[in-house]
Each structure stands twice: as C-alpha cells, then as structure tokens.
Amino acid sequence: ALLNLNENVMSSREAAVIAEFLNSNPSLAYLRSDDNQFNNADAAVLASSLSNNTQLRSIWIEKCGIQEDGRLAFLRAVFDVSSLSLCASSNHTCKVHGLERDISALNRKKKSFCNKWRKIFAMLALSSEDSFINTALLQGVPAQLIPLV
C-alpha cells in the first residue's frame, strides 16, 4: 500500500501522528511525504519510528526542510554504527529518499537479512586498521557464532 501525504503543509504535530502510526508496524509499504514542513526534530521522531517497523519499504521526505541533524537521525535508524548490536537492531527494510547527501542506497536489497549482514560486514571491515575484519568488535560474541559472521 502507498500513502501519499505530499504537499500537505505538515509539521511537528503531524510528524508525531505519522510516527505513532509507523511505530505500530502497519502493512504500509510506501510513504510519500515530500514538500512538507518537517524540521530536524520531526525527522528524529519519524526516524525513531522505524526501529519497530518491518513493513515500510520506502519513505520519501524531499523538500521538507530537513537538515544534517535530521539526516543523521534517519541514518542512525537504518545503519547505527555505534556497536554491532545496534547495527544488527537497525531498520533493514526501509529506504529513505530525498535527503541531501543521499542515504537511499542503504536497505536496497529486498530481503532484510541481506541488508543486515551487508551492514554488519561493512562495519567489521571498515572499522579495522588493516581493512580486513576488526575482531575487537566481536568481543562478547559467543565463539560458536563467530564463524557465521
């Protein structure tokens, strides 16, 4: 299903309602919300709703006034690099379109487990000094699981 909320002069009040709706994990696949009046705080509210949502495939938020802090909120929602655990619990289904410094390439695979493992491997590889795998990030992971990573 597609919900088109483009050009509705929506701002903080509506962002909270949309976030509450998305947080309930409805069977909504696409949300168009371009050309509204969302700010960075609204972006953070919308982004946080993605943590419980496994149905939404794409959200569009172009021309909404969202700046770098809002972009970072969405980026953390779909690829949190603070730790392996937070990376694994990020949203792996939703593509975010319309932000300056595009992040829509994240979650481009149809299967969420592919997106999840690509992010985990990228985090392990890119955080290593020798560009192989940063095994320090595996601290606390049971040894029997390490071959699966």
Side-chain angles (χ1 to χ4, degrees):
L2 165 69
L3 178 58
N4 188 340
L5 299 175
N6 289 347
E7 302 176 16
N8 278 299
V9 196
M10 294 186 298
S11 58
S12 298
R13 187 180 71 203
E14 293 82 10
V17 172
I18 294 167
E20 184 177 341
F21 174 67
L22 293 176
N23 202 40
S24 71
N25 203 23
S27 60
L28 178 68
Y30 304 99
L31 175 60
R32 301 291 316 223
S33 56
D34 296 328
D35 293 304
N36 281 293
Q37 298 174 352
F38 300 133
N39 59 31
N40 289 331
D42 303 329
V45 168
L46 291 168
S48 70
S49 71
L50 297 180
S51 65
N52 294 324
N53 191 300
T54 59
Q55 304 293 320
L56 192 64
R57 304 295 299 167
S58 290
I59 183 172
W60 286 264
I61 48 175
E62 189 173 6
K63 299 178 187 170
C64 285
I66 296 171
Q67 301 298 317
E68 185 63 12
D69 287 344
R71 178 188 165 277
L72 289 174
F74 275 108
L75 184 58
R76 279 189 296 273
V78 297
F79 190 8
D80 192 332
V81 296
S82 302
S83 70
L84 277 180
S85 176
L86 289 173
C87 177
S89 65
S90 297
N91 179 294
H92 302 296
T93 58
C94 186
K95 287 191 238 177
V96 180
H97 303 273
L99 294 170
E100 284 293 321
R101 293 183 46 211
D102 186 34
I103 63 170
S104 64
L106 295 168
N107 294 337
R108 68 178 178 211
K109 299 290 185 187
K110 289 189 186 243
K111 297 193 182 283
S112 62
F113 73 88
C114 292
N115 293 321
K116 176 181 180 176
W117 288 110
R118 287 170 58 106
K119 293 174 198 175
I120 289 172
F121 182 75
M123 194 170 158
L124 288 169
L126 296 174
S127 65
S128 176
E129 289 181 17
D130 63 4
S131 296
F132 185 58
I133 290 183
N134 183 357
T135 56
L137 291 175
L138 297 173
Q139 185 176 15
V141 175
Q144 62 269 30
L145 294 180
I146 292 176
L148 298 175
V149 177

